[in-house]
Amino acid sequence: MPAAKRRAHVPVLELSGLAMILLATILMVAQLGSFSGERQKMPASLVLGGVPVSGLSDAESQAYLEQAYGSPIIVRYRDQELRLDPAQVSFRVDSETMLASANDHHAEVGFWSGFWNYIWMKPEPPTSIDLVSDYSSEQLSAWLADVAVRYDSPPSQAQPVLETLSFAQGKPGYTLDQAASEQLIVDALQRPTDRILDLVVTEQGSERPGLETLKSLLVQYVASQKFQGVVSVYVIDLQTGEEMEMDVDNRSLSPIPVDCEVAYASTSTMKIPIMVDFFKYLDWVPEEGTDDYKNLIETMTLSGNISANAMLYKIGFEDAQVGAENVSEMERKLGLQNTFLAAPFINDPNQEVPPVPYISTPAREAARSGQCIDSRADEAAQTTVQDLATLLDMIYQCAEYNGGGLVAAY
């Protein structure tokens, strides 16, 4: 037989190795190409001024950034909604500087180090570039000033209501705090989202009517009621001490101011100084069920003449006439020169009125001489609205603060 031919030797291992090297080279080149393409884009986890730009080109990142910060700001002045275009205040994002910072940071990671991380799919650490921007403070201030001119409103004073002799409540006013509001707008301009804000608006309470406004209301009210007579009012603000006096002559149905204190018959209002003097006389607190307690309650609640005379009897040490003189003396000591009680009260309307001593006061003499209106006041008991209001204020100051004229005098 012929000799068998020797089989040809095929270098399988060598060819496999070459194939693997070739494949690895192809993969390497492909990965390098892919990495080079990715490296031309913004790295993953990159945030420019709060705006994520991962995977975008420089041009795309710049456009996206300027779009985010170019959207209008929604500004609310209470219930009014306004739109502020950033261009109105020359707001500008310096995207070129921010992109340069991002690229510098990107370049700090070497090509091959980045490629190594890319091959092993190792994520890059997050990177945040702060916003670089600018705006015109002058233009923003001018915009806020215009808003204030259009929407600020002063408080309105309460308006008189003649029909009810009262005041309709005024309206509060509103003032824009421009300095505080400007800072809020700047903060909103520098945010890519949540670009809505409420301006800082200060509320001012409606103006409280003053006593002069009250005086005007009272004069108008007297005229509207067609009251033919003389009206006197004296008001003391117990909190501020401010005083207001109104004296008008409306007998001709046209209110005429009266520049003097008109003397009036004090009638039962005289029982107020009687009770004050009675408390000065007492050395004890009247207990319920006692005669002193009953006399005070009946005088205060029922305006009793008998009970008032009973107190005058004790004040005058068993002489009611002396008690009346003591009450008048107390009034003079308190500075209430136009108030007096010349005799006790008449208990029986059919009783003959005895003559009473003449007591001179400034208001009484002004009426007699024609320098003030003569109201034909009772000769036995007279006062003025100022004296009455002043005594009531003294009682209040004594009760609330243990001070005032009564404590000073006694």
Side-chain angles (χ1 to χ4, degrees), residues 230 232 245 247 258 260-264 363 372-373 375 383-385:
V230 180
S232 296
E245 182 174 12
D247 296 281
V258 177
C260 61
E261 287 192 60
V262 181
Y264 292 98
C372 195
I373 292 175
S375 69
T383 190
T384 62
V385 291

Side-chain angles (χ1 to χ4, degrees), residues 102-117:
N103 290 327
D104 290 344
H105 186 275
H106 193 33
E108 291 177 1
V109 180
F111 180 88
W112 294 111
S113 297
F115 181 60
W116 180 260
N117 293 333

Side-chain angles (χ1 to χ4, degrees), residues 21 33 128 194 227 295 333 337 392:
I21 291 174
S128 179
D194 188 23
F227 171 70
N295 287 332
K333 186 172 182 179
Q337 300 298 318
L392 290 171

Side-chain angles (χ1 to χ4, degrees), residues 30-49:
Q31 290 289 341
L32 280 172
S34 177
F35 174 68
S36 297
E38 289 293 325
R39 196 169 173 82
Q40 299 301 317
K41 301 177 181 179
M42 293 297 166
S45 304
L46 175 63
V47 177
L48 294 180

Side-chain angles (χ1 to χ4, degrees), residues 86-386:
Q88 290 180 261
V89 293
S90 299
F91 180 81
R92 184 184 68 86
V93 175
D94 191 350
S95 54
E96 294 181 357
T97 299
M98 296 172 66
L99 288 171
S101 298
N103 290 327
D104 290 344
H105 186 275
H106 193 33
E108 291 177 1
V109 180
F111 180 88
W112 294 111
S113 297
F115 181 60
W116 180 260
N117 293 333
Y118 177 78
I119 291 174
W120 292 102
M121 294 183 292
K122 183 179 179 181
E124 294 187 19
T127 303
S128 179
I129 305 299
D130 292 337
L131 175 69
V132 180
S133 63
D134 191 18
Y135 74 99
S136 171
S137 178
E138 293 77 11
Q139 290 178 338
L140 180 53
S141 297
W143 188 84
L144 284 169
D146 178 66
V147 171
V149 168
R150 285 187 288 156
Y151 297 105
D152 281 359
S153 59
S156 63
Q157 193 176 57
Q159 299 299 312
V161 181
L162 289 178
E163 293 76 11
T164 57
L165 194 59
S166 62
F167 290 92
Q169 186 174 1
K171 295 181 180 180
Y174 299 95
T175 304
L176 176 65
D177 186 335
Q178 298 186 41
S181 297
E182 179 172 344
Q183 186 57 54
L184 291 179
I185 292 177
V186 171
D187 293 342
L189 286 169
Q190 295 175 342
R191 294 193 300 263
T193 58
D194 188 23
R195 296 165 71 82
I196 301 176
L197 63 98
D198 291 298
L199 296 173
V200 181
V201 180
T202 303
E203 180 176 332
Q204 300 167 295
S206 59
E207 295 184 20
R208 180 174 179 265
L211 290 183
E212 285 303 311
T213 306
L214 173 62
K215 181 177 180 179
S216 175
L217 170 61
L218 292 174
V219 172
Q220 294 177 50
Y221 182 78
V222 170
S224 70
Q225 297 302 304
K226 301 187 182 305
F227 171 70
Q228 285 186 283
V230 180
V231 179
S232 296
V233 178
Y234 200 91
V235 177
I236 300 176
D237 188 323
L238 297 177
Q239 304 303 317
T240 66
E242 185 182 1
E243 302 177 7
M244 181 275 286
E245 182 174 12
M246 183 197 82
D247 296 281
V248 293
D249 181 358
N250 200 52
R251 288 175 292 183
S252 62
L253 296 181
S254 178
I256 301 173
V258 177
D259 190 19
C260 61
E261 287 192 60
V262 181
Y264 292 98
S266 59
T267 61
S268 286
T269 63
M270 182 54 67
K271 291 163 186 173
I272 298 173
I274 290 176
M275 288 186 287
V276 170
D277 204 29
F278 187 58
F279 272 104
K280 183 169 66 70
Y281 160 81
L282 293 175
D283 287 332
W284 57 88
V285 177
E287 296 182 358
E288 188 172 355
T290 63
D291 289 341
D292 292 334
Y293 185 88
K294 291 177 181 178
N295 287 332
L296 284 166
I297 293 299
E298 183 176 332
T299 303
M300 274 192 285
T301 61
L302 302 177
S303 188
N305 288 347
I306 295 175
S307 58
N309 284 340
M311 287 188 283
L312 289 174
Y313 182 78
K314 284 196 171 184
I315 293 170
F317 299 97
E318 300 184 0
D319 188 331
Q321 179 62 41
V322 174
E325 294 171 2
N326 288 343
V327 170
S328 298
E329 178 59 31
M330 180 200 69
E331 294 280 357
R332 284 190 290 271
K333 186 172 182 179
L334 292 175
L336 310 178
Q337 300 298 318
N338 290 312
T339 302
F340 67 82
L341 179 62
F345 289 96
I346 301 299
N347 296 324
D348 184 355
N350 298 319
Q351 177 183 346
E352 184 179 350
V353 180
V356 296
Y358 181 85
I359 298 178
S360 176
T361 67
R364 191 176 192 183
E365 299 306 324
R368 288 187 64 189
S369 65
Q371 296 177 348
C372 195
I373 292 175
D374 186 357
S375 69
R376 297 190 293 275
D378 185 356
E379 295 184 354
Q382 295 184 19
T383 190
T384 62
V385 291
Q386 180 174 353

